[in-house]
């Protein structure tokens, strides 16, 4: 059986083939991000106040959600607090790249065949 987890830390990354390429499961990283967001909400009451204001401003019709500048600003601020980069260190970077290349190669070959055939 092939090891589909080329990155074991600090955040596990699992690679799975799909018909059009690969998926990267970064569940451990997402858990870390959610943890950071909840921690920020608990540490700084202004986030909670801003969220409450968004709840109060929600449209009465739940079938017509609206996005507002305060919503976008809160999302951007929480993303900045949580971070967006998944570190992959040393040899694990090569293992991840190799695993993605190995699993995506059949898809790439199929796409090249289709593109080559279409141009002829």
């Amino acid at each position: 059986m092939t090891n589909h987890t080329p990155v074991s830390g600090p955040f596990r990354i699992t690679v799975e083939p799909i018909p059009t390429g690969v998926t990267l499961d970064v569940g451990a990283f997402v858990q870390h991000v959610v943890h950071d967001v909840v921690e920020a909400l608990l540490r700084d009451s202004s986030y909670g106040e801003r969220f409450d204001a968004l709840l109060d401003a929600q449209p009465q019709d739940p079938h017509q959600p609206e996005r507002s500048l305060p919503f976008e600003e809160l999302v951007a601020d929480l993303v900045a607090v949580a971070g967006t980069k998944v570190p992959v260190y040393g040899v694990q970077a090569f293992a991840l790249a190799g695993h993605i290349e190995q699993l995506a190669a059949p898809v790439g070959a199929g796409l090249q065949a289709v593109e080559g055939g279409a141009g002829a």
Side-chain angles (χ1 to χ4, degrees):
M1 181 172 185
T2 304
N3 178 7
H4 290 291
T5 308
V7 178
S8 59
F11 301 107
R12 179 187 321 254
I13 300 175
T14 303
V15 182
E16 295 289 334
I18 60 173
T20 55
V22 299
T23 62
L24 300 178
D25 182 347
V26 294
F29 179 70
V30 171
Q31 182 176 1
H32 174 77
V33 168
V34 170
H35 175 273
D36 285 353
V37 168
V38 171
E39 194 172 74
L41 291 169
L42 293 172
R43 185 178 57 245
D44 185 343
S45 64
S46 70
Y47 291 121
E49 293 165 4
R50 291 166 62 190
F51 183 76
D52 288 342
L54 288 174
L55 286 175
D56 292 341
Q58 287 295 307
Q60 296 301 322
D61 182 0
H63 298 291
Q64 293 188 347
E66 294 181 16
R67 296 288 188 238
S68 64
L69 185 56
F71 176 90
E72 301 298 333
E73 289 173 343
L74 179 58
V75 168
D77 290 347
L78 290 172
V79 167
V81 167
T84 60
K85 296 182 180 180
V86 178
V88 180
Y89 300 122
V91 70
Q92 291 184 79
F94 293 110
L96 177 61
H99 206 70
I100 291 171
E101 182 178 25
Q102 175 188 11
L103 293 175
V107 173
L111 290 175
Q112 287 177 347
V114 169
E115 290 172 357

